[in-house]
């Protein structure tokens, strides 16, 4: 298992680029979770990759608060 590093203090400053909503740190997968967008942004070498094209879609079942679809 590789060690994932991320400074959780960054969560106070980072927002989802799609929704401008808050993010949560998922240490198990090394991702920043945007529940409102249903996306998980990767963190590589401690650096968040905040590109929607790099994010993976999260199954709706694990997203508690998803923004309404328009």
């Amino acid at each position: 298992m590789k060690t994932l590093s991320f400074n959780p203090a960054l969560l106070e400053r980072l927002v989802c680029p799609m929704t401008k909503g808050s993010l949560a740190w998922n240490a198990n997968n090394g991702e920043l979770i945007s529940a409102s967008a249903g996306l998980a942004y990767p963190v590589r070498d401690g650096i968040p990759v905040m590109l929607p094209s790099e994010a993976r879609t999260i199954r709706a079942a694990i997203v508690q608060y998803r923004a309404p679809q328009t």
Side-chain angles (χ1 to χ4, degrees), residues 16-61:
C16 173
M18 298 293 291
T19 66
K20 307 301 184 239
S22 63
L23 298 166
W25 170 239
N26 180 331
N28 291 334
N29 293 333
E31 299 171 318
L32 292 171
I33 305 297
S34 172
S36 59
L39 295 172
Y41 296 95
V43 175
R44 297 184 185 128
D45 297 322
I47 301 169
V49 181
M50 304 304 296
L51 299 170
S53 61
E54 293 289 321
R56 71 178 179 89
T57 303
I58 301 171
R59 292 181 298 129

